[in-house]
Amino acid sequence: MKRIMLVGAALAALLSTSAFAQEPKTLLNASYDVAREVFAAENEAFVKTHPGVTIDQSHAGTSKQARAIVEGLEADVVTFNQVTDIDFLVKQGFVSADWQKGFANNASPFYSFPSFLVRAGNPKNIKDWDDLVRDDVKIVFPNPKTSGNARYTYLAATAFAKEKFGGDDAKVQDFIKKVFANTPVFDTGGRAATTTFVEREVGDVLITFEAETRGIAKQYGTDKFESVVPSVSLLAEFPVAIVDKVVDKRGSRALAKTYLDFLYTEEGQRVAAQFGHRVHDPKVAAEFKDQFPEIRLVNVDDVFGGWDKIQKDHFASGAVLDTLYGSR
């Protein structure tokens, strides 16, 4: 009997080792356009404690990424900047309906908001959303029809106008029309808009996530660019999810979860903060507190009634965005 038990234990260990060896050692993370640097750093930190693992990246506007996954891009995880694009994957059967319960903070490991980047010295004295509709100001931000980054800008500007005009829809829409009219070019994604502003030297102000504005100022120098935080902006969560249909096919669910869990660890949070993202971990948030100006953030639930209503009222075909964008 003892011999049988030993043989059984050895066989179980062998099968376990064999199964482990067969588990994929690579993951594909499909992410948003301006997240290249932060995830390069996150991935480097992750693989140090997971030798033999490789994290591959794909970057584009998240709406484009979601469509690519449906069309065959085998991404194990998504790290998006827009809830609606993960919900699209839910409707297509790629992500489970309860995906936001899988990780803390509505599956958003860190957050940011639309903010401003101006040229050194802020020659046009751009301080708040009001300044964007002045005749002497030219704006750069990507196309809200193709970029999640730009949709946050559109929603943040709308939220500001709702407060300013007491919810008067006609005045709010006129405000957004002026914002669009002051934008000479609409690139398809956030990084292309950054290139237009920084390298092509188009425009007086770039609107993008605060993390991106801080990264640009750090990379190119505060003698060339400076960040401006407006009085109020819209909370931009960066939701993450496991792509169930892909991980079940590849057998990579355990590694996918371990990777996304890492983004919530103290180390993962510190990496995000170093790249200009605001984080939830109390210790790390306190460590970087002096680097982040205070701002009043509003959220989509309070201002717009949630993402489902936003999708219907603003982003659906023929909805408000189509009307305002088409009249620019």
Side-chain angles (χ1 to χ4, degrees), residues 27 51 75 102 145 161 168-169 171 213 219 256 260 264 271 276 321 323:
L27 284 181
K145 295 179 71 65
D168 186 318
D169 287 340
K171 291 181 179 179
T213 70
Q219 179 180 353
L260 293 183
Y264 288 87
V271 169
L321 178 60
T323 302

Side-chain angles (χ1 to χ4, degrees), residues 248-312:
D248 288 343
K249 175 183 176 181
R250 298 188 66 240
S252 55
R253 179 178 293 276
L255 182 57
K257 186 175 189 312
T258 300
Y259 174 70
L260 293 183
D261 281 338
F262 173 79
L263 302 179
Y264 288 87
T265 66
E266 186 176 310
E267 185 178 7
Q269 294 275 281
R270 184 168 289 107
V271 169
Q274 288 170 345
F275 281 84
H277 293 83
R278 303 200 180 205
V279 298
H280 299 287
D281 183 277
K283 181 179 178 181
V284 179
E287 182 180 333
F288 287 85
K289 182 179 179 180
D290 293 343
Q291 299 184 31
F292 293 101
E294 290 188 7
I295 183 172
R296 180 168 63 90
L297 295 178
V298 297
N299 63 66
V300 295
D301 291 330
D302 293 340
V303 178
F304 299 101
W307 284 110
D308 286 344
K309 194 171 188 331
I310 286 174
Q311 182 64 32
K312 178 182 177 181

Side-chain angles (χ1 to χ4, degrees), residues 84-295:
T84 52
D85 290 322
I86 299 184
D87 285 340
F88 171 77
L89 292 176
V90 172
K91 293 174 182 177
Q92 299 297 318
F94 282 77
V95 173
S96 63
D98 62 349
W99 64 272
Q100 283 188 303
K101 296 180 181 178
F103 301 93
N105 304 310
N106 291 322
S108 177
F110 42 81
Y111 65 98
S112 194
F113 53 85
S115 191
F116 305 157
L117 184 76
V118 298
R119 305 193 187 280
N122 197 1
K124 294 292 181 75
N125 195 32
I126 297 167
K127 299 292 186 182
D128 214 339
W129 298 96
D130 264 348
D131 296 311
L132 304 183
V133 297
R134 288 172 13 207
D135 292 339
D136 65 327
V137 170
K138 295 301 178 186
I139 309 163
V140 174
F141 74 103
N143 187 339
K145 295 179 71 65
T146 59
S147 165
N149 182 326
R151 288 188 175 195
Y152 271 111
T153 291
Y154 161 77
L155 292 172
T158 300
F160 173 85
K162 279 179 173 288
E163 286 191 5
K164 179 178 177 64
F165 300 115
D168 186 318
D169 287 340
K171 291 181 179 179
V172 170
Q173 292 187 17
D174 186 58
F175 183 88
I176 300 301
K177 286 179 183 178
K178 290 179 180 177
V179 169
F180 286 161
N182 280 356
T183 307
V185 58
F186 286 100
D187 293 295
T188 57
R191 186 50 54 89
T194 294
T195 299
T196 294
F197 182 76
V198 172
E199 297 182 10
R200 294 175 55 198
E201 298 185 346
V202 173
D204 304 299
V205 54
L206 170 70
I207 312 174
T208 186
F209 295 126
E210 181 196 37
E212 176 82 343
T213 70
R214 291 170 59 82
I216 296 167
K218 181 179 180 180
Q219 179 180 353
Y220 290 91
T222 54
D223 60 326
K224 294 183 179 179
F225 303 101
E226 59 186 75
S227 298
V228 174
V229 175
S231 64
V232 60
S233 194
L234 187 77
L235 172 66
E237 295 179 302
F238 298 120
V240 302
I242 293 172
V243 184
D244 298 278
K245 191 169 183 177
V246 173
V247 299
D248 288 343
K249 175 183 176 181
R250 298 188 66 240
S252 55
R253 179 178 293 276
L255 182 57
K257 186 175 189 312
T258 300
Y259 174 70
L260 293 183
D261 281 338
F262 173 79
L263 302 179
Y264 288 87
T265 66
E266 186 176 310
E267 185 178 7
Q269 294 275 281
R270 184 168 289 107
V271 169
Q274 288 170 345
F275 281 84
H277 293 83
R278 303 200 180 205
V279 298
H280 299 287
D281 183 277
K283 181 179 178 181
V284 179
E287 182 180 333
F288 287 85
K289 182 179 179 180
D290 293 343
Q291 299 184 31
F292 293 101
E294 290 188 7
I295 183 172

